Amino acid sequence: MNYQNAQYSEFDYGGDIGVVTTSINVEKDGIIIHVPIDPANSDYAEIMRQVDAGTLTIEDAD
Amino acid sequence: MALTQVRPEGLGFVNGRRNLIINGAMQVAQRGTSETGVGGSSGYFTCDRWRIDTGNTAGRVTMSQVSITDLAEFATALKLDVTTADTSIASGEVFRVGQRIEGQNLQQLAKGTASAKSLTLSFYVKGNAAATYVAQIKDVDNTRVNTQNFSVTTSWTRVELTYAADTTGTLDNNNANSLEVMFWLHAGSDFTSGTFASNTWASETNANNYAGSNTSIFDSTNRELFITGVQLEVGTNASDFEHESFGETLQKCERYFRQSGAYTGAIPTGVGGFVSQQGMNQTSGQKALTKDWETAMRATPTMTIYDHSGTAGKWDAINTSGNWTNNLNYTGIADQNAGGFKVYVNSSTGYGYGLHYRADAEL
């Protein structure tokens, strides 16, 4: 799969929870998708495989 | 006294929930009913749960859910129609179609124990010409396989293959991929140069998977393959196909993939089935739109958000007059899990928002 322009996304719940990294926003075959931080998700598993292989980097959240 | 004939278990009875395959009759195709140019990447394209697994081939097919009228009891089939042949086969080429099954749905097989059960795979198949392919069951947890050939003719044929019990290698009891049913249709020498051992469980040796005199579906653009009525069941007998309603099958499929809107077999558009919320305070601040599902998905899904025109990565806003405006940015997504999600926008003065979505938790 062709993943490009990956960036972590955060959400500020405030209070005791604070800022949580919620997903990776990435273009998959040209379509913007939101991939959860979950090893059971096949997109996440493939993204991390590509990161480990050095073919994809994930930018920090804005 | 009247005599009652008792048939062996699994022969002719409709005793429900026997089929380990989901969408075996190819009824449900949420992503769409036809996709051209399939073969360049692996994934799910048309009929739900049916995955294309491909590598390194220039061959391409149009993958379709098609209506059929020449097979009693079945109205739909999966069709692979070769549009680009590949007769110069490099060693690493492969093209397969199949289904992945969660380990927690397979514990009744008692695989890897002294009580291990046989499995029987049955399906209806038809081609444009005679062909021989391979139906493989793969224990993904232990990298063990069992392969058998099957023949295709120009008429519908029901193939029935019983796979021996395997007392080696237990299957994980979780929501991950533990067992694959895979129809091998094309492969290079990395997968053909070994020895084919029919109906024998063994640690996977790549060279053995497609060894022997098998057909390459990519040998000609005339090649077609139709398949439906796929059933995998415990035991040594192929029972009648376990038909179920469209609604039942759709509900099973939605554990792995679901989308907003009425079922159309395409990316949802328009405002029918729109996930929306109105009457929000118009002052600045964060606005959020949440959606929960009544039944959880297999795992946290990958989410794709669309506006009402079908543009990915956008959503709609509505004004106090009730008019929708599409192609607007949202800030992000949160609370994303197997039970639902939330899409939000910061620093907005909107009155309400709407979106369509696709949620993908496939294996």
Side-chain angles (χ1 to χ4, degrees), chain B residues 75-98:
Chain B
T76 48
L78 174 64
K79 178 184 179 183
L80 299 177
D81 182 3
V82 175
T83 54
T84 304
D86 181 1
T87 55
S88 179
I89 307 173
S91 59
E93 292 189 17
V94 66
F95 185 79
R96 303 170 289 202
V97 60

Side-chain angles (χ1 to χ4, degrees), chain B residues 142-157:
Chain B
N142 302 285
T143 321
R144 291 173 60 78
V145 296
N146 187 328
T147 51
Q148 295 192 52
N149 293 109
F150 66 93
S151 297
V152 176
T153 71
T154 55
S155 301
W156 283 108
T157 303

